[in-house]
Amino acid sequence: MSQWQVGGSLLSSYACAGIAGLSLVSLVGLGLWRRLFKALRETNRKKDEELSALRRALNDIRSELQEKDEALAVLKEKAAAMTHRLEEERRKLDNVQRQNHLLTEKLGDQDQALGAQQEELAHLGERHAQTLQLLEARTLELKGAEAYLTKADVLSGADVVSLLNTLNSEVYQTAAMVAEAFEFRVKNGQERTRTEEEAAAMEEVYISTGEIVGPRLLGLLRTAEHHQDPTIVQVAFQAGMAAYANWIVTSWDFEDPDDERGLSKIYGTIRQQEEQAVSGRWRALTRTHIPRMAEQELAMYFIDAFVNILLAAEVTQHPSELHEAIESRFAKRISIIVKGAERLRRAIGEEVTSCDFEIAYVSHESPFDPAQMDDTFASGFDTGRDEPEPVLCTTELGLARVVKVPGKVGQWEETVLLRPKIALKSGIDEMMAAE
């Protein structure tokens, strides 16, 4: 309600009150009227105060409404701004969604392309693995073929001759040292009395010694006097070491005679039919992969031979002490000879393929041929003889170089690089007679 309506209501109230007052004056008098008027003024005052309070409240309400209108306007502006931003964000979102859709399609295309590439990569991987397998197979084939290709020799003929000369020198020096290291019984043409057990043991010694040095040199060991001149004992040592060195250098298999014969036969056939480069490589490969006997085992053959030779020569030392004495005093020199023989074996068997180096060893009882061998003692063997004197033993090994004639079956060119040295009984007899 407006302020004019409020004022009208108050005037009406006053008018009514006046009319009523007139009635009251006529009834109760002027005093009552004064009190009533006073009450009316009090009532009007209160009404005015209430009206003022209402007006203030109305003003407050109007101020509050104005503030709220202003706040509402601000909120509307903010709402409009937010609506604008929302529209912008929606447009951006639409753009992002469109881009996302495009990227999704592109990603799908890339996934398909990646799947195709992975399949192609797997196929290439299989082809690569097959290529590696083929390459490995071809590499192995080439390695196998390379083994038979012509290769330069590791050693020359002069190198091999030097190795053999060194071995022969070690054999000679060791034989002299061992022969001078022991004392021998004076025989005076008499056999030593032995028990049956000793006689049986000595019979085995004679058999073993005869197999190594030959029966005639064994006879000299048993009958000759060695206490003043051990030359025959030294020659026997040389013969034994030369025999074992020849065995080490030339053997294919030390332990199995059947394998030894089989390999020798196979190599002989290959040498006959194939060219030198092929047969040489086959020999080198085969020798490389054949198991070898330990050095200590090979050294025992030399020690046993020394013991048997000394026993056959009637050494004064007890048989039970000989083995230990030789092993303790001459093991190092025997080891040098064994290593020298093994080095020579490796040189001519594995490190040279352009030719074959053959060890020249003359077996006992072979006829002496001055064109093929040298006499250690340079005896007058041909004086008054109708036939060549048989060889007593080999004291130093010789060497020949053999090359297959290209394109020919079973034809070789042979060159003697070092002639073997042998001992003749006549030479030993002359030497001892001269002494």
Side-chain angles (χ1 to χ4, degrees):
M1 150 184 323
S2 66
Q3 59 181 344
W4 302 112
Q5 291 175 340
V6 173
S9 299
L10 292 173
L11 290 175
S12 297
S13 299
Y14 293 157
C16 292
I19 295 172
L22 290 177
S23 299
L24 291 172
V25 168
S26 57
L27 294 175
V28 295
L30 183 61
L32 182 60
W33 167 253
R34 288 179 179 175
R35 287 192 298 272
L36 290 172
F37 186 75
K38 187 178 180 179
L40 179 60
R41 282 191 299 179
E42 184 66 23
T43 301
N44 288 337
R45 188 183 59 79
K46 290 182 180 179
K47 293 289 187 180
D48 289 338
E49 290 178 355
E50 290 178 358
L51 182 60
S52 297
L54 289 173
R55 286 175 179 174
R56 286 192 300 273
L58 180 60
N59 291 332
D60 292 339
I61 291 172
R62 286 176 178 173
S63 298
E64 184 178 356
L65 287 174
Q66 186 177 359
E67 291 177 358
K68 289 183 177 180
D69 289 339
E70 292 175 356
L72 181 60
V74 173
L75 290 175
K76 287 181 179 180
E77 291 178 0
K78 290 183 178 181
M82 292 182 65
T83 301
H84 180 71
R85 289 182 59 186
L86 180 61
E87 291 297 330
E88 291 293 331
E89 295 296 330
R90 284 177 179 174
R91 285 195 296 271
K92 291 181 180 179
L93 179 61
D94 291 338
N95 291 333
V96 170
Q97 287 177 342
R98 285 193 297 271
Q99 291 180 1
N100 186 35
H101 181 69
L102 293 175
L103 290 174
T104 301
E105 293 180 350
K106 188 175 181 180
L107 181 60
D109 295 338
Q110 290 180 349
D111 287 340
Q112 292 179 355
L114 180 61
Q117 290 178 353
Q118 288 177 342
E119 291 180 359
E120 183 178 0
L121 182 61
H123 180 65
L124 290 175
E126 292 178 358
R127 292 182 58 186
H128 180 64
Q130 293 174 356
T131 302
L132 288 178
Q133 292 178 355
L134 182 61
L135 178 61
E136 184 177 359
R138 292 293 180 267
T139 302
L140 293 175
E141 291 175 0
L142 287 175
K143 286 183 178 180
E146 183 183 9
Y148 281 92
L149 296 177
T150 302
K151 292 186 177 181
D153 294 337
V154 177
L155 300 176
S156 65
D159 295 329
V160 178
V161 171
S162 177
L163 290 175
L164 182 55
N165 280 330
T166 301
L167 178 61
N168 285 330
S169 176
E170 291 293 341
V171 167
Y172 174 79
Q173 294 177 30
T174 302
M177 291 177 62
V178 179
E180 293 291 342
F182 294 91
E183 295 181 357
F184 300 91
R185 185 177 65 84
V186 179
K187 301 173 184 176
N188 293 326
Q190 298 179 356
E191 283 285 340
R192 181 182 175 186
T193 303
R194 294 185 176 89
T195 64
E196 292 184 3
E197 184 178 354
E198 291 175 340
M202 284 304 300
E203 190 62 31
E204 293 182 1
V205 168
Y206 296 147
I207 293 173
S208 298
T209 307
E211 291 175 350
I212 301 172
V213 303
R216 289 197 301 139
L217 184 52
L218 171 62
L220 292 177
L221 286 173
R222 295 180 63 179
T223 58
E225 297 286 356
H226 310 296
H227 60 282
Q228 292 182 345
D229 185 0
T231 299
I232 295 177
V233 178
Q234 177 181 334
V235 170
F237 284 146
Q238 286 183 262
M241 285 186 283
Y244 278 125
N246 176 63
W247 171 62
I248 292 174
V249 174
T250 61
S251 292
W252 292 83
D253 192 307
F254 294 133
E255 298 181 355
D256 193 330
D258 292 335
D259 289 345
E260 172 70 24
R261 288 189 292 269
L263 289 170
S264 297
K265 184 177 180 180
I266 293 172
Y267 182 55
T269 303
I270 293 175
R271 287 185 68 192
Q272 288 279 347
Q273 302 296 328
E274 302 294 339
E275 295 300 320
Q276 178 65 49
V278 176
S279 64
R281 289 305 298 162
W282 186 92
R283 178 213 341 120
L285 286 172
T286 306
R287 284 288 185 94
T288 300
H289 295 289
I290 290 177
R292 299 175 181 177
M293 188 177 292
E295 179 186 325
Q296 293 181 345
E297 294 182 57
L298 294 173
M300 291 305 300
Y301 285 96
F302 289 81
I303 294 175
D304 290 341
F306 285 1
V307 171
N308 289 332
I309 290 171
L310 289 171
L311 291 176
E314 296 287 350
V315 68
T316 58
Q317 198 163 358
H318 194 276
S320 61
E321 301 173 354
L322 277 179
H323 193 284
E324 182 179 354
I326 293 174
E327 187 172 6
S328 62
R329 297 175 63 181
F330 302 104
K332 184 176 293 186
R333 296 206 61 87
I334 293 173
S335 176
I336 293 174
I337 294 172
V338 171
K339 289 179 179 178
E342 287 188 317
R343 178 68 186 95
L344 185 61
R345 180 182 191 271
R346 185 167 63 256
I348 68 176
E350 303 174 23
E351 298 176 352
V352 176
T353 58
S354 64
C355 66
D356 282 279
F357 286 109
E358 296 183 350
I359 296 297
Y361 174 83
V362 184
S363 59
H364 40 262
E365 304 304 322
S366 297
F368 175 70
D369 183 358
Q372 300 293 329
M373 58 195 76
D374 293 332
D375 180 10
T376 301
F377 301 103
S379 62
F381 62 91
D382 56 349
T383 304
R385 288 184 179 277
D386 296 330
E387 296 180 358
E389 181 180 355
V391 170
L392 188 65
C393 65
T394 297
T395 57
E396 294 186 16
L397 301 176
L399 184 69
R401 183 178 185 271
V402 181
V403 181
K404 187 173 184 291
V405 178
K408 302 294 183 179
V409 177
Q411 295 186 24
W412 288 273
E413 296 178 352
E414 181 175 347
T415 304
V416 176
L417 302 179
L418 186 65
R419 297 201 298 184
K421 288 187 178 182
I422 56 88
L424 299 173
K425 184 177 184 302
S426 61
I428 294 178
D429 291 342
E430 289 183 9
M431 180 193 64
M432 296 186 71
E435 290 179 356

